[in-house]
């Protein structure tokens, strides 16, 4: 499959289906998450190779804190381990790591390591890999509204200055372009509070593959599907041509 043309600048992925993958094999959910980590690694490699400039992975939602403590602990442990093992790879491959979400809830030891990896990769410019951790889009929007309201109250900005660009600058994603392609695996067709503002005009792609089974060839299929769509942004087909 040839996909050189029109590579999306920003791909966001809702990595779903680890639990079901494990259950189908008679294993505990932990195995699904461990295997899911391999798919995430493969996505990073493939996106960098294909020339995608921004990849955002939904790794843990603000709602995922409601899961059993054992599962939450395992996910935090997996994150910590991946950061330790992948730092070298990120550096070698010129990939910058960033995070979005409420990191204050992430265990201190993991948070410190995250900070270290972000710091040590901040000058890399082949691709930006953003991990959404303890992330919820509504939380993010509430946060930005509070910051802006505070600035208005303190006469730093006037109400008339509030526009799309100002709101963008107050979101966690302030350094990222809008999402071009949003992928969700596992057959679920919902957004689950992920990048609601940033995906206003994203092309949505739903795959039936469970996340641990989602590999390079599936990513290429998703990008190829994206490339065959006409993005009109409110205009007519004739205007696009
Ligand atoms: C996605 O897989 C990983 C996280 C949400 C952390 P799930 O754990 O949601 O897997 P399912 O949906 O139960 O199969
Ligand atoms: C969304 O998956 C969050 C992540 C992939 C990290 P969930 O499995 O938590 O989503 P819902 O709750 O089923 O919509
Ligand atoms: Mg799920």
């Amino acid at each position: 499959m040839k996909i050189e043309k029109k590579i999306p600048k920003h791909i966001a992925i809702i990595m779903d289906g680890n639990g079901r993958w494990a259950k189908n094999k008679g294993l505990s959910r932990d195995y699904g998450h461990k295997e899911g980590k391999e798919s995430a690694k493969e996505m990073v490699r493939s996106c960098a190779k294909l020339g995608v400039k921004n990849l955002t992975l939904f790794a843990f939602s603000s709602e995922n804190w409601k899961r059993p403590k054992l599962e939450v602990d395992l996910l935090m442990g997996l994150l910590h381990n991946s950061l330790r093992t992948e730092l070298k790879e990120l550096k070698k491959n010129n990939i910058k790591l960033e995070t979005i979400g409420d990191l204050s809830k992430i265990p201190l030891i993991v948070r410190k390591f995250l900070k270290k990896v972000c710091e040590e990769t901040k000058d890399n410019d082949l691709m930006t890999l953003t991990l959404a951790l303890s992330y919820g889009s509504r939380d993010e929007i509430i946060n930005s509204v509070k910051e802006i309201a505070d600035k208005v109250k303190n006469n730093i900005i006037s109400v008339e200055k509030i526009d799309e660009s100002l709101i963008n600058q107050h979101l966690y994603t302030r350094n990222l372009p809008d999402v071009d392609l949003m992928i969700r695996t596992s057959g679920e067709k919902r957004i689950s509070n992920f990048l609601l503002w940033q995906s206003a005009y994203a092309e949505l792609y739903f795959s039936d593959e469970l996340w641990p089974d989602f590999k390079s060839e599936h990513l290429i299929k998703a990008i190829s599907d994206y490339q065959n769509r006409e993005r009109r942004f409110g205009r007519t087909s004739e205007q696009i041509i």
Side-chain angles (χ1 to χ4, degrees), residues 13-37 39-40 58-60 64 67 71 75 183-190 192 206-215:
I13 310 183
I14 304 175
M15 312 185 288
D16 198 16
N18 294 350
R20 277 162 284 167
W21 182 90
K23 195 172 175 194
N24 290 345
K25 295 192 154 36
L27 301 167
S28 75
R29 297 178 59 86
D30 308 13
Y31 286 92
H33 293 312
K34 283 180 192 140
E35 206 50 42
K37 196 179 89 182
S39 289
F58 203 4
F60 194 89
N64 288 149
R67 292 194 179 192
E71 181 165 345
L75 287 165
I183 299 173
R184 182 173 189 143
T185 58
S186 88
E188 307 294 0
K189 291 177 184 64
R190 56 178 175 266
S192 302
F206 298 103
S207 164
D208 285 333
E209 299 294 332
L210 299 171
W211 178 246
D213 292 327
F214 193 87
K215 300 295 174 196

Side-chain angles (χ1 to χ4, degrees), residues 185-198:
T185 58
S186 88
E188 307 294 0
K189 291 177 184 64
R190 56 178 175 266
I191 306 295
S192 302
N193 201 13
F194 190 41
L195 301 172
L196 301 179
W197 170 278
Q198 300 85 339

Side-chain angles (χ1 to χ4, degrees), residues 62-121:
S62 48
E63 289 75 26
N64 288 149
W65 292 113
K66 295 178 200 151
R67 292 194 179 192
K69 185 173 180 323
L70 264 178
E71 181 165 345
V72 170
D73 288 349
L74 176 106
L75 287 165
M76 292 301 141
L78 270 181
L79 171 64
H80 195 192
N81 276 339
S82 317
L83 290 168
R84 277 209 297 247
T85 54
E86 297 311 310
L87 175 58
K88 237 181 21 213
E89 281 297 297
L90 293 173
K91 282 182 169 171
K92 191 174 89 196
N93 295 311
N94 195 16
I95 296 169
K96 166 156 79 179
L97 185 81
E98 290 198 345
T99 61
I100 51 173
D102 179 5
L103 292 196
S104 69
K105 293 193 174 139
I106 303 281
L108 185 64
I109 180 163
V110 186
R111 210 186 319 151
K112 276 190 178 160
F113 213 85
L114 267 171
K115 217 175 139 201
K116 173 182 157 74
V117 180
C118 293
E119 181 57 33
E120 291 189 22
T121 60

